[in-house]
Amino acid sequence: MNVSFDQLVPVGVRYMVLSALGFALMSASVKYVSTYGIPVFEIVAARALVSLILSYVDVKRKGISIWGNNRKLLLARGVMGSLALICVYYAVTTLPLAEATILQYIHPVFTALLAFVFLKERVQFSTFICIFLSLLAYILWSAPL
């Protein structure tokens, strides 16, 4: 009874591991480049240029309009995404890498809270418990000893 790697590890899990590796390499690269004194905005601009080229090629390949269906929402998404990227890269360049990574991985907690407050989404009690425990763990972890 031989069990292959494909049977042991679902494809979704493999993509998640690959994604985590990509983000870890990105954070390490941003941290490394920042040691040479390159400003955060230049790092963001370089990343944006690469993303622009890759996205443009993919959108054209699929025959989709680069302006989307709702330009206002597309513009708002671009502005918010750019601000978020600047914040993430600023955290990576100024904080210890472990601390910046923890902040990045805690964003689903804030997403759930904001969806509850602004979108009036229902959140299960167990989710509130997880949110509370996540924030408590972060506070305890980041508190000075």
Side-chain angles (χ1 to χ4, degrees):
M1 183 168 127
N2 292 334
V3 179
S4 70
F5 180 76
D6 291 343
Q7 292 170 325
L8 287 176
V9 183
V11 69
V13 172
R14 285 183 265 159
Y15 282 132
M16 288 177 70
V17 170
L18 188 61
S19 172
L21 176 64
F23 278 104
L25 288 173
M26 180 271 310
S27 293
S29 298
V30 168
K31 188 73 166 181
Y32 178 72
V33 167
S34 71
T35 62
Y36 288 102
I38 299 174
V40 172
F41 286 110
E42 287 185 25
I43 299 170
V44 170
R47 191 253 190 207
L49 182 62
V50 171
S51 179
L52 175 71
I53 293 168
L54 293 175
S55 297
Y56 182 78
V57 168
D58 195 42
V59 164
K60 283 301 180 186
R61 181 181 61 86
K62 293 181 179 179
I64 302 170
S65 168
I66 60 170
W67 301 112
N69 297 326
N70 189 332
R71 289 186 186 181
K72 288 181 183 177
L73 281 179
L74 188 62
L75 180 64
R77 182 180 187 268
V79 169
M80 295 306 292
S82 297
L83 291 174
L85 190 63
I86 290 168
C87 290
V88 166
Y89 281 11
Y90 181 76
V92 168
T93 59
T94 57
L95 297 173
L97 196 52
E99 204 168 315
T101 303
I102 292 289
L103 284 173
Q104 287 178 33
Y105 282 115
I106 203 166
H107 84 269
V109 169
F110 296 110
T111 302
L113 286 174
L114 291 172
F116 174 72
V117 172
F118 292 110
L119 302 177
K120 308 293 187 235
E121 287 192 9
R122 290 186 344 178
V123 179
Q124 296 178 353
F125 181 73
S126 59
T127 304
F128 276 120
I129 296 294
C130 290
I131 289 171
F132 172 76
L133 291 175
S134 296
L135 293 175
L136 179 67
Y138 176 72
I139 290 167
L140 292 175
W141 178 82
S142 62
L145 295 176

